[in-house]
């Protein structure tokens, strides 16, 4: 029995796929935070190099991957696809379960797929320094490494609670030469105003984004980079799904079900979009975005225009959101604690191409243990959401006696997150159910913002 499907470097995709060329409904544009009018390239120019802004609004189906980016990708790409035969056996399921392993990158997750591209385009544009935010540290460490590759200074605002609880990712960033500051900090106006209101603030991704954007716009040779949510990030991550398509072909299988964990939406979209194209063209596939029940952006958040950050500096994005002032519960999947969701993923949900599901924290850790004990690899807490969903679907297939083919994205390993596993072993973790009242309260702040053409009312969900 074949276990691993390995592409040669020669067979690695040389173009990214842009699903904006094939969306059933065209995307609504980002809006300027001051005027409420559609953002033009010049509005984004202070924070991103023009080549990335062009990708952000591009409807070209295929975008060439630059040679230098391809060369860096080959440090760990093509990433293996493996058949989880040990897990299948443990579950006694007739389903065939495949995982795309994005945990083999030096930073341990899928995030360098876009960090390399963003560092490369910034180097081309002459950027000297890049600022960014990070939650648990996965994105900050990925960008630090890639800035080192391209000789760019990197400054990371790390959510304070993680900065204090998770020293190892900070040390990875410092090893790769980046400067890391706990956010909210006194280094920016945004940070100082948040600290004035709450000196004990544990920080949030929304706050750290405000600080990083401010640090970029106030310095001419400094740009900002975002690790998820934006269209150009989804484009770069499509390499995951393009490789997986070839590998599924090698395996002689085609997925009935596709699963990814969804925080900002990038690893999920990366795996899903090439298959979503097949679905748009008539193929039957169940494409599931697995999110935390404690931060249920897609399953309980409405589709509205909202800010990407807490201090309302970013453009307004059309997306499912829990409100920019919402501070998610301190679950251990730090990379999934974001109030919004990628506009591309949000639109695919509205169009019925993607189906969101919420997973509870305890179930995700149980799934992580089942996986580690049958397949060896220890998943990141974020990745456990995809693993839990895959297990759920495999058990459903068993109940129905169906030979389903499941393909899930294994977004990263959990070797730097073992403290989260320890908390689980010590019985310190629980499920957080988000009360509707809290969602309603955070969404009040959006009342006076412009509304997208299309909307959904999810307030009566669940
Ligand atoms: C950051 C991260 C996620 C969530 O981010 P997306 O943009 O939704 O992919 C999931 N898994 C891992 C391992 C991560 O580091």
């Amino acid at each position: 029995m074949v276990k691993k499907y390995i592409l040669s470097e020669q067979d690695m995709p040389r173009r990214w796929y842009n699903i904006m060329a094939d969306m059933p409904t065209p995307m609504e544009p980002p809006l300027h935070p001051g005027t409420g009018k559609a953002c033009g390239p010049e509005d984004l120019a202070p924070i991103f190099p023009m080549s990335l802004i062009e990708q952000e609004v591009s409807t070209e189906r295929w975008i060439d991957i630059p040679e230098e980016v391809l060369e860096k990708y080959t440090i760990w790409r093509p990433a293996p696809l493996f058949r989880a035969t040990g897990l299948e056996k443990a579950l006694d399921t007739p389903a065939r379960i495949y995982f795309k392993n994005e945990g083999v990158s030096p930073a341990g997750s899928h995030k360098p797929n876009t960090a390399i591209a963003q560092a490369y385009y910034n180097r081309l544009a002459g950027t000297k320094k890049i600022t960014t935010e990070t939650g648990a540290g996965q994105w900050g460490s990925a960008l630090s490494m890639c800035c080192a590759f391209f000789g760019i200074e990197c400054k990371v605002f790390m959510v304070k609670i993680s900065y204090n609880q998770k020293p190892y990712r900070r040390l990875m960033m410092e090893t790769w030469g980046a400067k890391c500051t706990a956010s909210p900090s006194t280094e920016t106006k945004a940070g100082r105003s948040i600290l004035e209101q709450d000196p004990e603030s544990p920080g949030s991704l929304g706050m750290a984004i405000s600080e990083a954007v401010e640090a970029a716009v106030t310095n001419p040779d400094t740009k900002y980079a975002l690790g998820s949510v934006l269209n150009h990030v989804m484009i770069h991550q499509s390499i995951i799904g393009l490789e997986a398509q070839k590998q599924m072909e090698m395996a002689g299988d085609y997925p009935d079900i596709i699963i990814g964990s969804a925080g900002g939406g990038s690893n999920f979209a990366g795996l899903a979009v090439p298959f979503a194209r097949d679905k748009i063209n008539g193929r039957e596939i169940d494409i599931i975005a697995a999110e935390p029940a404690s931060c249920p952006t897609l399953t309980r958040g409405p589709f509205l225009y909202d800010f990407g950050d807490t201090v309302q500096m970013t453009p307004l994005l059309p997306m499912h959101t829990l409100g920019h002032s919402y501070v998610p519960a301190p679950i251990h999947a730090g990379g999934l604690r974001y109030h919004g969701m990628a506009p591309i993923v949000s639109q695919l949900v509205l169009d019925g191409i993607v189906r969101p599901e919420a997973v509870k924290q305890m179930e995700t850790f149980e799934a992580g243990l089942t996986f580690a004990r049958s397949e060896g690899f220890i998943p990141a807490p974020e990745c456990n959401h995809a693993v839990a969903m895959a297990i759920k679907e495999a058990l459903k297939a068993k109940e129905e006696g169906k030979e389903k083919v499941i393909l899930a994205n294994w977004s990263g390993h959990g070797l730097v997150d073992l403290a989260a596993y320890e908390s689980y072993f010590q019985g310190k973790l629980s499920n957080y159910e988000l009360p509707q009242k809290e969602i309603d309260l955070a969404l009040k702040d959006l009342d006076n913002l412009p509304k997208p053409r299309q909307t959904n009312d999810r307030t009566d969900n669940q």
Side-chain angles (χ1 to χ4, degrees), residues 109-111 138 228 261-268 335-336 380 382-383 411-412:
S109 77
H110 65 286
K111 290 199 171 77
Q138 289 267 22
S228 187
S261 65
S266 74
N267 87 84
F268 164 73
L336 305 185
E382 292 86 358
C383 180
S411 55

Side-chain angles (χ1 to χ4, degrees), residues 42-170:
E42 65 288 353
D43 295 319
L44 298 171
I47 50 174
F48 297 120
M50 202 44 81
S51 44
L52 289 175
I53 297 172
E54 279 161 14
Q55 291 181 2
E56 191 59 25
V57 297
S58 171
T59 50
E60 290 288 318
R61 183 170 292 119
W62 300 103
I63 295 174
D64 287 338
I65 306 175
E67 273 306 314
E68 272 186 83
V69 173
L70 280 171
E71 192 208 313
K72 294 297 180 208
Y73 274 175
T74 56
I75 293 174
W76 76 95
R77 305 204 73 84
L81 176 85
F82 63 99
R83 170 100 180 259
T85 47
L87 179 64
E88 289 169 13
K89 217 178 197 169
L91 301 175
D92 188 26
T93 174
R96 296 193 287 287
I97 311 175
Y98 296 86
F99 281 89
K100 177 74 170 161
N101 188 353
E102 290 293 318
V104 293
S105 80
S109 77
H110 65 286
K111 290 199 171 77
N113 295 336
T114 183
I116 287 199
Q118 293 194 49
Y120 166 81
Y121 288 115
N122 269 288
R123 212 269 324 270
L124 268 194
T127 304
K128 299 260 171 4
K129 181 174 171 181
I130 298 181
T131 62
T132 196
E133 73 294 324
T134 196
Q138 289 267 22
W139 168 242
S141 51
L143 188 67
S144 301
M145 173 181 83
C146 298
C147 281
F149 288 162
F150 291 101
I152 300 173
E153 251 185 86
C154 183
K155 163 81 177 183
V156 183
F157 290 92
M158 184 172 186
V159 175
K160 189 176 280 170
I161 182 170
S162 302
Y163 184 93
N164 293 330
Q165 287 176 353
K166 302 183 176 179
Y168 291 112
R169 287 217 178 265
R170 170 171 59 79

Side-chain angles (χ1 to χ4, degrees), residues 417-460:
D417 307 288
L418 288 174
Y421 280 87
E422 185 178 35
S423 298
Y424 176 74
F425 295 139
Q426 293 172 339
K428 289 181 183 162
L429 298 192
S430 57
N431 291 325
Y432 294 85
E433 269 305 328
L434 178 56
Q436 189 59 40
K437 268 202 314 233
E438 234 180 281
I439 302 181
D440 295 342
L441 189 70
L443 287 174
K444 272 225 156 43
D445 295 342
L446 277 56
D447 281 351
N448 296 324
L449 297 178
K451 298 287 174 285
R453 280 193 316 272
Q454 247 183 316
T455 195
N456 64 339
D457 188 358
R458 298 188 158 267
T459 42
D460 56 1

Side-chain angles (χ1 to χ4, degrees), residues 258-265 267-269 287-293 295-299 333 335-336 341 345 349 354-360 364 381-390 392-393 408-409 411:
I258 291 188
I259 297 168
S261 65
N267 87 84
F268 164 73
I287 306 180
I288 308 172
E291 66 180 9
C295 190
T297 315
L298 286 170
T299 48
L336 305 185
M341 181 60 64
V345 174
V349 168
V354 168
R355 178 166 73 87
E357 285 269 2
V359 194
K360 294 185 173 142
T364 66
E382 292 86 358
C383 180
N384 280 341
H385 290 69
V387 174
M389 199 66 227
K392 207 184 246 178
E393 289 297 325
N409 202 26
S411 55

Side-chain angles (χ1 to χ4, degrees), residues 297-320:
T297 315
L298 286 170
T299 48
R300 292 174 69 191
F303 180 80
L304 288 172
Y305 269 114
D306 195 10
F307 295 99
D309 70 324
T310 307
V311 181
Q312 314 184 5
M313 278 197 295
T314 70
L316 290 162
L317 299 175
M319 62 183 177
H320 288 83

